[in-house]
Amino acid sequence: MTFEQLKSFLAVVKHNHFTLASQELFISQSSISKHIKSLEKEIGIELFKREHRTITLTPAGKEFLEFARESVDGYEKMQRNLYKYKSEESEIITIGVIDTMIEYGLATLIGDFHKEHPNIQIELIERGNNSILEYLSVSKFNLGFVSNLGSNNKILDSYELFSDNLVMVTSENHRFLENRTIALDKTSKEKYIALSGDPTLHNIFLNVWGNLNFFPYVSYIDSQTKTLLALVSENMGVTLLPDTIATSYKNNINSHIKIINLFDNLCAKIYLVNKKNKKLSKNETLFKNFALKWFDKQTS
């Protein structure tokens, strides 16, 4: 029985879906299935009932769930307890990044840092914004690039790196086809799509329609920005995104979207964050200071 099998089991229980479980763990659906099958084979008991397109826990699966949670929680607690024994001279830095950071020069930043510090390795953990904040809170890593702080601003030291104007993104056949700019209060009948855990749209709508107790319909997806934009291109809804992200997607991946500027003065911000009162290692401090100076040069 492996830690990966237990994590796969818990992810399937959480989502009741193999595909969503694979997206959370950033592994293939076939790997999830193999983990579950090998786990069931090892203990000799079926953990899930598979009927048509639905999956549910068997009675044995429900009992096994308690063991799996305790085992994973215990393992992660042990990792956190042992973290303090890591040498400050460790040559590996682990950094959490949102999936859109590559569009803001992350690869060039890492390359420039490596030129000055060739012996320091960097491990990037790509997760959603909320997951990065959660991992920081339990010290799974100490540095992260995020697009919003949520309610964590009191426990984080945050450094604003830059801001990016928000734009509306629609399909190329949307009824706003002829619009080059639009005011948000004209979009109340639109169906919006947003990433789960991202409060951006909620906060914007609160400012635009909050006094009327009205919000447009928003469909949330537990996925990445590319999936969000793919749905928009199929006319499943509209969304608001930073201009840099939308333009890069249109130019390099799928030209079948339309980018509309907003009359409203709205922008997204990117932050470098670390947990307050958490001492960074020597190498983490080197990277943090390097990144702050690097982005300052890019925006000056």
Side-chain angles (χ1 to χ4, degrees):
M1 189 178 302
T2 67
F3 182 63
E4 286 72 22
Q5 289 173 337
L6 294 178
K7 287 185 68 177
S8 294
F9 171 77
L10 291 177
V12 173
V13 172
K14 176 182 176 181
H15 295 286
N16 284 323
H17 202 285
F18 279 78
T19 300
L20 295 179
S22 68
Q23 290 176 355
E24 177 181 320
L25 298 180
F26 288 88
I27 60 177
S28 66
Q29 182 177 337
S30 61
S31 295
I32 291 282
S33 298
K34 288 178 182 177
H35 287 165
I36 299 301
K37 287 180 180 178
S38 60
L39 185 58
E40 290 178 325
K41 183 177 180 181
E42 179 178 344
I43 61 179
I45 298 174
E46 188 178 59
L47 299 174
F48 292 100
K49 283 184 179 179
R50 302 164 176 83
E51 297 178 349
H52 304 294
R53 294 186 178 182
T54 63
I55 55 173
T56 56
L57 282 171
T58 63
K62 292 178 181 178
E63 189 167 333
F64 184 79
L65 176 60
E66 182 177 354
F67 164 79
R69 283 174 173 164
E70 290 178 353
S71 298
V72 171
D73 288 345
Y75 180 82
E76 293 180 343
K77 181 179 179 181
M78 178 269 294
Q79 281 187 313
R80 294 194 294 271
N81 289 339
L82 293 181
Y83 184 86
K84 60 188 176 184
Y85 297 108
K86 282 188 176 182
S87 168
E88 287 195 356
E89 300 303 321
S90 171
E91 294 186 346
I92 300 179
I93 304 172
T94 302
I95 303 170
V97 298
I98 51 177
D99 67 324
T100 53
M101 271 306 296
I102 196 68
E103 307 297 346
Y104 294 113
L106 178 65
T108 304
L109 166 64
I110 301 300
D112 289 348
F113 179 78
H114 183 70
K115 291 174 185 176
E116 291 195 18
H117 306 281
N119 294 324
I120 301 178
Q121 299 179 42
I122 294 180
E123 177 186 18
L124 298 177
I125 306 295
E126 187 177 286
R127 291 289 188 274
N129 196 89
N130 281 10
S131 293
I132 293 175
L133 295 175
E134 180 182 345
Y135 286 2
L136 282 164
S137 70
V138 296
S139 300
K140 282 195 173 182
F141 43 70
N142 292 325
L143 291 170
F145 291 99
V146 298
S147 57
N148 66 75
L149 304 176
S151 61
N152 297 273
N153 56 330
K154 293 182 179 180
I155 65 170
L156 295 174
D157 284 326
S158 60
Y159 307 87
E160 184 181 328
L161 302 177
F162 54 87
S163 61
D164 193 356
N165 289 333
L166 287 177
V167 294
M168 175 169 286
V169 186
T170 74
S171 70
E172 62 180 356
N173 298 318
H174 192 272
R175 67 189 184 92
F176 293 153
L177 179 63
E178 301 302 323
N179 293 69
R180 293 187 177 182
T181 58
I182 196 166
L184 279 182
D185 60 9
K186 305 298 183 184
T187 68
S188 59
K189 295 182 180 180
E190 294 305 307
K191 176 182 177 182
Y192 280 85
I193 308 175
L195 298 178
S196 297
D198 184 354
T200 302
L201 280 182
H202 178 83
N203 292 337
I204 290 173
F205 292 166
L206 191 63
N207 291 330
V208 176
W209 290 291
N211 62 328
L212 301 176
N213 278 331
F214 169 79
F215 285 78
Y217 177 77
V218 183
S219 176
Y220 290 96
I221 62 170
D222 188 11
S223 190
Q224 294 183 311
T225 306
K226 288 182 180 178
T227 303
L228 170 67
L229 284 166
L231 292 172
V232 169
S233 71
E234 294 298 327
N235 206 27
M236 300 298 292
V238 303
T239 195
L240 301 181
L241 283 177
D243 188 20
T244 300
I245 306 305
T247 300
S248 176
Y249 183 88
K250 181 179 179 66
N251 292 341
N252 300 310
I253 300 177
N254 187 343
S255 61
H256 300 300
I257 60 171
K258 179 175 174 58
I259 299 172
I260 305 173
N261 292 320
L262 300 175
F263 281 120
D264 314 74
N265 186 22
L266 301 171
C267 65
K269 296 180 180 180
I270 300 293
Y271 303 88
L272 175 61
V273 296
N274 62 268
K275 192 176 179 182
K276 284 185 177 180
N277 304 319
K278 176 69 176 181
K279 185 179 180 181
L280 299 179
S281 71
K282 176 182 177 181
N283 291 341
E284 288 170 337
T285 301
L286 278 173
F287 179 83
K288 173 183 172 180
N289 293 336
F290 184 92
L292 293 176
K293 291 180 181 177
W294 191 90
F295 277 107
D296 185 56
K297 290 181 180 178
Q298 308 306 310
T299 56
S300 60

